[in-house]
Amino acid sequence: MSKRKDFSWITAKKLLPVSIFYNANVGFALASLKGVNIPMYIAIKRITPLAVLVAGCMRGKGKPPTQVILSVICTATGVLIAALGDFSFDLYGYCMALTSVFFQTMYLILVEKSGAEDGLSSVDLMFYNSILSLPFLFFLIIATGEFPHSLTVLSAKAASLTFGVILVISLVMGIVLNFTMFWCTIVNSALTTTIVGVLKGVGSTTLGFVLLGGVEVHALNVTGLVINTFGGVWYSYAKYKQKRKTPRKIQHDVESHAHK
């Protein structure tokens, strides 16, 4: 069992950039949904693996295997093709989504670095990120005028059992999502986490087309999404082959730091 760690201001200071990038990613992602439909939003966010791959090379992590590079390029190419078929193109929405990609790339790389160099677990990262996020979130809800209005809505909905159940489920799902995301990034790498997100997006994209409505389906965007998904599956296969070839003793992922 791991020893309980007390709150450390030194660690909090180190993780402040992670929290800033994390909250910026969430903010710009939500802003993008005002102009971009769900399937295309997910497709744009799938450019993140390419951004993480480039950032990793710039950090001197070494060149990944050829199949990994090609699969990530395939994923990004699918996004471009899908965007060409998006006849409801909204410049504001696309700009917000691309900015969100940048911030997501930054915070995942910092999470990977924190886990490898500072020995922080996913629980540690969640704990510090939650505390450091509070000032940003309070500022946002006050600046946008949501603070008084949200209290009125909350008090009106408080008596509803359905609202309470949905709220609890949403909270639990959010906790599980963040825990597994941080855990995957620490154990594997930032690139692997983004590719897993691509595969997760297959279900989200399908549900977006079927359930939400208001999405124009064309050959180009469907083709792009299929290519995008294929790139994610290809990456998983390439990583599986890479691990099979690497001897267990010296297994050291080119894209991730080894645990110490």
Side-chain angles (χ1 to χ4, degrees):
M1 290 182 66
S2 59
K3 288 178 70 178
R4 185 179 70 84
K5 296 181 181 178
D6 294 324
F7 182 84
S8 167
W9 285 107
I10 296 173
T11 304
K13 187 178 177 181
K14 281 185 179 179
L15 293 178
L16 182 59
V18 174
S19 186
I20 292 172
F21 289 135
Y22 175 87
N23 285 284
N25 165 53
V26 173
F28 280 99
L30 291 174
S32 71
L33 290 173
K34 291 182 179 180
V36 179
N37 58 61
I38 295 291
M40 279 312 305
Y41 162 77
I42 295 168
I44 295 167
K45 291 286 282 185
R46 288 174 180 175
I47 297 176
T48 310
L50 181 60
V52 171
L53 183 68
V54 172
C57 292
M58 290 174 68
R59 287 171 57 216
K61 292 179 68 177
K63 181 185 174 185
T66 304
Q67 282 209 41
V68 169
I69 295 174
L70 291 176
S71 64
V72 172
I73 291 173
C74 177
T75 302
T77 302
V79 175
L80 295 175
I81 294 173
L84 291 173
D86 183 17
F87 293 104
S88 59
F89 180 84
D90 182 273
L91 182 60
Y92 171 82
Y94 270 71
C95 288
M96 293 296 102
L98 289 172
T99 305
S100 174
V101 167
F102 167 76
F103 285 119
Q104 185 179 11
T105 300
M106 295 304 297
Y107 91 74
L108 284 176
I109 288 173
L110 290 175
V111 165
E112 180 185 345
K113 183 174 178 288
S114 300
E117 297 180 4
D118 301 329
L120 295 173
S121 68
S122 54
V123 175
D124 294 329
L125 288 166
M126 280 186 65
F127 172 68
Y128 281 100
N129 186 55
S130 298
I131 292 176
L132 294 170
S133 295
L134 288 176
F136 298 110
L137 296 176
F138 276 128
F139 171 77
L140 280 176
I141 62 174
I142 291 171
T144 56
E146 287 187 24
F147 177 57
H149 177 65
S150 58
L151 286 179
T152 306
V153 174
L154 187 61
S155 59
K157 296 280 187 180
S160 170
L161 177 62
T162 304
F163 174 77
V165 171
I166 293 174
L167 179 62
V168 171
I169 292 174
S170 299
L171 288 171
V172 172
M173 289 175 68
I175 291 168
V176 172
L177 172 63
N178 280 289
F179 174 77
T180 52
M181 180 183 66
F182 288 144
W183 190 17
C184 179
T185 305
I186 292 170
V187 174
N188 299 294
S189 69
L191 182 57
T192 298
T193 301
T194 57
I195 291 293
V196 171
V198 168
L199 298 177
K200 178 265 301 178
V202 176
S204 304
T205 302
T206 305
L207 289 173
F209 274 125
V210 176
L211 299 180
L212 300 180
V215 181
E216 295 182 47
V217 181
H218 301 280
L220 269 178
N221 56 18
V222 172
T223 302
L225 293 173
V226 169
I227 293 172
N228 183 272
T229 303
F230 172 74
V233 176
W234 186 6
Y235 174 86
S236 302
Y237 175 71
K239 291 296 295 178
Y240 173 73
K241 275 184 66 178
Q242 182 186 349
K243 293 211 170 192
R244 285 287 298 268
K245 286 181 181 179
T246 308
R248 251 181 137 68
K249 284 185 187 176
I250 57 170
Q251 198 174 59
H252 184 93
D253 196 321
V254 180
E255 299 153 31
S256 63
H257 300 281
H259 277 294
K260 297 178 183 176

